[in-house]
Structures are given as C-alpha cells and as structure tokens.
Amino acid sequence: METLDFDGVRLDLDGSLATLTLSDPERLNALSLAMVEGVQAALREVAKPRRAVRCLMLTGEGRAFCAGANLARRGDTGERRPASPVESVFHPMIRRLRDVEVPVVAAVNGPCVGIGVALALLADYVIASDAAYFLVPFRNLASAPDSGLTWLLPRAVGPARARELVMRAERLPAARALDWGLVNEVAPAAEFNVAAQAAARGFADGPTVALGQMRRLMQESATSSFDAHLEAEARAVQRTSRTQDNAAAIKAFGSKAPVSFTGA
C-alpha cells in the first residue's frame, strides 16, 4: 500500500483500490478550501494510468463523513478566501469527481451534510453506517443550495422527497435513506469498515472499462434524448467489445465458469 497525504486529505493506494479519506476529524471533515485542493490533487493521482486504479472509495476519518463546507478556515498561504468559492473552488472539484472514469463507492461512515451529500450522490454505490444521517442545511443558512444538489437529489429520490430534504432541512437517518433509494446498503457501525471494503473490492475486481462506461452512460442519461442515448450505448458497446475482459467473459459464458477480470 502507498499513502499520499494532502492538506486534510489522505489517499491510500492498495492495488486496484484507491481510498480517498477526508481527514480533519476535529471539524467533522468539513471541507476547507485547502482540503478541496487536496481532493483535487488526490483525484489527479487516481486518474494517472500508472496507478492502475479500478475503483475509488470516498470516506471520512473519525465519526463523520463530511460536515459540509468550512469556509472559515484559510489555506496554508494565509490568503483570503475567494469572493465566490462555490464557483471557483467547490464546483470544479464536483466536476472532477463526476468525471472520474472508474466506479466510485461512497462509504458514509457518519454525518453527511451539505456538500458531503453531493459527494455521496456522485458515487455509483453508497454504503452507509447505521449511525449516519444526511442533511441538506441551506434553509437554515438562508442560502440557495450548491454543489449540484438540486440536480442530483431529484434524480436520486424523486422531486417530492428532494424538495422535502432541501426545503425542510431535516436529518434523514441512514435507514430511511435506504428506503428512499438515496443509499444502496446500510451496515452496522461496528462492522462498517469491513462491509465498505468488501463493497469497494467488488468493484475494484470487476470489468473496469465496462463499469466505467456504465457510470458515464448513467450520468448522461439524465440530459440526453433517447435516440442520442442509443447512439452513446452503441459506442460504449464497441468500446467494451475490444477489451480482454469482454473476450474472457464471452468465452466463459456458456460454461458458467467464473471470470477473473483484469480491468483491461
């Protein structure tokens, strides 16, 4: 395993699995501007071909996943924060995470607030601790939401429930989030790390190119026409048909033999 440390962010590279941990537990992993830069740097590492990452897992250190944005904290340079950090700092990070080309698992180990909810919703699979909850707090701040939440939430839980989360600003416990379809799995807090690792490993050992194409197609489906999406699917099929994993899977299909995917 190799570990790379950034400001308030840790990236653990363990074979094909990369784990990005928000690491400011005293502030419940609230994202400062410096931490956002650390997330960006970590995502750039994940994208490097030599890293051979096949799955990215997002999680938080300590008892929280992410307590939202921490705009009060300055970076190491001591410079004042930009006038509009939403547009100049936070949204570029959101776009970079959206554009990750491998499966993304969000391991929501505790409270998940504001931009933390957006990070979770940008994942392909969300596993939450039974001690976790989700909160969209902007009503209490008399602020409009950001980080794509008003785009992501209606697609995850439907318009009515999205309005409830945004406009009432009430906590959504993990068990109810599972019922609503916001998360895929809930695990007991005492067993959470093991369950999250198992979920992420399942993706890291899978057919990476095909999973990446699935991720992209699902993202594009929200804004493309049906005909345009059929064309996108055809291109994705052509792309995956050239992979070693596809050839191995087709060869083994009739025999029902297990396939060891390589990600190539």
Side-chain angles (χ1 to χ4, degrees):
M1 179 184 289
E2 180 181 0
T3 298
L4 303 177
D5 289 309
F6 305 95
D7 192 333
V9 176
R10 184 175 70 252
L11 182 65
D12 293 309
L13 297 157
D14 184 7
S16 57
L17 176 61
T19 302
L20 192 162
T21 303
L22 303 178
S23 184
D24 190 3
E26 291 184 0
R27 297 176 179 83
L28 301 182
N29 303 317
L31 283 169
S32 67
L33 304 184
M35 286 177 70
V36 172
E37 293 173 0
V39 171
Q40 293 263 45
L43 293 177
R44 285 194 290 270
E45 285 294 327
V46 168
K48 292 179 178 178
R50 68 182 179 86
R51 295 294 186 187
V53 171
R54 295 170 59 189
C55 177
L56 170 65
M57 181 166 70
L58 308 175
T59 193
E61 183 177 343
R63 67 182 185 89
F65 178 73
C66 176
N70 177 10
L71 299 183
R73 192 177 166 207
R74 296 180 179 182
D76 294 336
T77 63
E79 296 178 353
R80 295 178 64 84
R81 61 182 174 89
S84 179
V86 167
E87 186 175 3
S88 63
V89 179
F90 289 99
H91 284 183
M93 177 195 67
I94 291 294
R95 289 188 175 97
R96 186 177 291 274
L97 179 58
R98 176 202 62 190
D99 293 340
V100 169
E101 295 184 354
V102 297
V104 178
V105 173
V108 181
N109 53 301
C112 182
V113 180
I115 194 171
V117 179
L119 297 180
L121 289 173
L122 286 165
D124 304 292
Y125 191 88
V126 183
I127 176 172
S129 163
D130 60 5
Y133 64 81
F134 298 81
L135 175 64
V136 182
F138 296 92
R139 168 198 167 108
N140 299 334
L141 302 171
S143 171
D146 56 47
S147 306
L149 281 168
T150 53
W151 192 95
L152 293 163
L153 276 169
R155 289 162 174 80
V157 299
R161 285 172 169 170
R163 289 190 186 97
E164 180 178 344
L165 287 170
V166 171
M167 301 180 77
R168 296 191 67 173
E170 296 175 346
R171 293 184 180 186
L172 183 71
R176 194 174 180 199
L178 179 65
D179 290 339
W180 282 19
L182 187 64
V183 306
N184 303 95
E185 179 182 354
V186 174
E191 304 167 11
F192 180 72
N193 290 337
V194 172
Q197 283 284 327
R201 279 291 171 195
F203 286 101
D205 294 339
T208 310
V209 176
L211 291 171
Q213 291 294 311
M214 293 173 193
R215 172 176 168 81
R216 182 180 59 79
L217 287 167
M218 294 295 290
Q219 290 176 345
E220 293 177 353
S221 68
T223 55
S224 63
S225 70
F226 185 62
D227 286 334
H229 206 67
L230 287 175
E231 294 173 4
E233 286 183 338
R235 291 191 296 271
V237 170
Q238 290 179 352
R239 171 71 180 90
T240 56
S241 70
R242 297 192 294 269
T243 64
Q244 297 175 23
D245 283 345
N246 180 259
I250 290 175
K251 182 178 180 180
F253 183 77
S255 65
K256 307 296 184 182
V259 181
S260 295
F261 295 114
T262 65

